[in-house]
Amino acid sequence: MQTASELPRPLRRPRRLRRNQTIRSMLRETRLTPDRLVLPLFIIDGDNRSEAITSMPGHARESIDNVIKRCREARSLGVNAFALFPAIDPALKSPEAQEAVNPENLLCRAVRAIKECIADAYLVTDIALDPYSSMGHDGLVSPSGEILNDETVDILAQMGVLHAKCGADMVAPSDMMDGRIGAIRAALDSAGSTDTAILSYTAKYASAFYGPFREALDSAPVHADNIPGDKKTYQMDPANAREATIEAILDVAEGADILMVKPALPYLDIIGRLRRETDLPVAAYHVSGEYAMVKAAAKMGWLDERACMTESLTGIARAGADTIFTYAAMEYARWYGDSHS
Ligand code: PBG
């Protein structure tokens, strides 16, 4: 066997370009600035309330006044876009999820209040029935336990119009019903909200990584009688990639402004796929379970939180995400500020 010193000397030595911080920084391909992040926030009714979410350290369900403080803090760090999720009082949840279209519901009040205090906070609202449904499903459930598509889409379109009227800059349907992007776009346009953008959850998978989020909203699907205990008849099968292309083609045709992949890390190939297959901006949702994993391991002393969170978010951006929804937005913005001051 030849030893390394007997082999021909390599002509190309990629290590030349890794020799010191200056050259590494000069050639870095991906730079993730905090202005590309969207911070999800959980809202509850009341004044000056904050309820910790145990599986999401650093996040809480907060009343509108405290959410406004959070937005101010995030903006001071360079994060100016927020995805709002209301934790609806269980007494207001119903099988038909009527609270979703109540103009005085928690989400509507939150959007108006935030816009009143911080006019240029960029607000993204979630369109789906699960926070309002006593069954925890994103759509209406028929007596035989089917998640009804077209009937749900009618309500989603009404929600979109309502959110836009309250001041939402962007509506984000996370429900995975067929045809909802076209229906929401048409409803927004006929209501005069032509400037309200639609971020479609294009490839949203039936993932087990949503666990902490469902704890935060107490929105896990209820498994009883005929009601399915999972979302597999509408969210995508984690094993499928080509199906993401089909969803993307439909969303583009129906008028989506941004296509999202969710979750992010187990689906980097899907992010890359949509990046190559469309010229629309691609978003990724670094979901609650992805955040919780790093937080929990860091708490045990098993992982370095800053390094692992930064590597996760950089990897998602490298795969092709223009914007990332992440619960770590504020931490990341602080670390970014520390290393760039
Ligand atoms: C539901 C919705 C979910 C998330 C965002 N919107 C959960 C679900 O589909 O059950 C999950 C986000 C996260 O885990 O961070 N419309």
Side-chain angles (χ1 to χ4, degrees), residues 83-86 124-132 137-139 152 156 159 163 171-178 180-181 184 198-206 210 213-214 217 219 231 234-236 251 260 262 285 325:
L84 305 177
F85 295 98
V124 183
T125 59
D126 187 60
I127 308 267
L129 300 187
D130 54 323
Y132 312 92
H137 276 291
D138 293 23
T152 300
L156 300 175
M159 284 178 83
H163 294 182
V171 297
S174 66
D175 57 287
M176 292 301 280
M177 297 300 121
D178 294 331
R180 90 275 208 218
I181 302 302
I184 294 169
I198 301 178
L199 177 152
S200 175
Y201 285 64
T202 296
K204 178 175 179 180
Y205 286 87
Y210 306 150
F213 176 97
R214 293 179 187 172
L217 295 192
S219 65
K231 300 189 174 182
Y234 46 106
Q235 298 180 349
M236 284 172 54
D251 283 352
M260 177 184 265
K262 176 184 179 185
Y285 203 137
F325 285 44

Side-chain angles (χ1 to χ4, degrees), residues 29-46:
E29 295 176 35
T30 306
R31 280 178 209 279
L32 181 60
T33 48
D35 55 1
R36 288 170 61 181
L37 304 178
V38 179
L39 174 66
L41 294 170
F42 298 107
I43 313 165
I44 44 170
D45 235 319

